[in-house]
Amino acid sequence: KLGDLQYENVYIPFLARLAELLAADGRAEEAFLASTEALERTKATSSLWLLPDSLRIHGDVLASLEGPDSRSAQAYLRESIEVSVRQGSLGWELRSAESLARFLVRQNRSNEASTALQTTIGKFTEGFETAPLRRVAALLDDMRPDSPSP
């Protein structure tokens, strides 16, 4: 019943999180269906505040479905960053940059991944002790050439 129009603002994030969980569980085809529906509903209902995250999740799901060479996954992740920047949504931009960086690392493009993260982190003036920024800082540390392998 959440899919009814009056509950779209709850249903879309629910579908997006479901897609992430299904992908993490190795159920990429089901994750793809959920992320596609979330993205379509986001666009159809003009829920533009959810668009960066819907694009990011769809890109992540495509990467899990198609592998590290997925051009469509990369395109969705980059679009997510672009929309976040246009909206001035630094939190969504950080999550999108992190997803793109992880995707690029799987392609052995650590320098490009590091640049994407540094560009976004450079916009922050506070909150450096929050979990998302600490997670991204740890990812950057792991990408350093002198960093020991995990």
Side-chain angles (χ1 to χ4, degrees), residues 112-141:
E112 189 178 345
S114 179
T115 300
L117 287 176
Q118 291 289 356
T119 299
T120 300
I121 287 177
K123 297 176 183 180
F124 280 84
T125 59
E126 62 185 4
F128 295 103
E129 293 304 315
T130 62
L133 282 170
R134 285 195 327 257
R135 188 176 57 243
V136 169
L139 178 58
L140 279 168
D141 284 345

Side-chain angles (χ1 to χ4, degrees), residues 11 14-38 57-58 61-62 64-65:
Y11 189 58
F14 170 80
L15 278 173
R17 298 303 160 254
L18 177 63
E20 287 181 308
L21 291 170
L22 289 168
D25 193 38
R27 297 162 61 183
E29 293 84 8
E30 292 172 273
F32 176 75
L33 294 174
S35 70
T36 298
E37 184 176 350
I57 291 168
H58 194 63
V61 167
L62 282 170
S64 71
L65 183 65

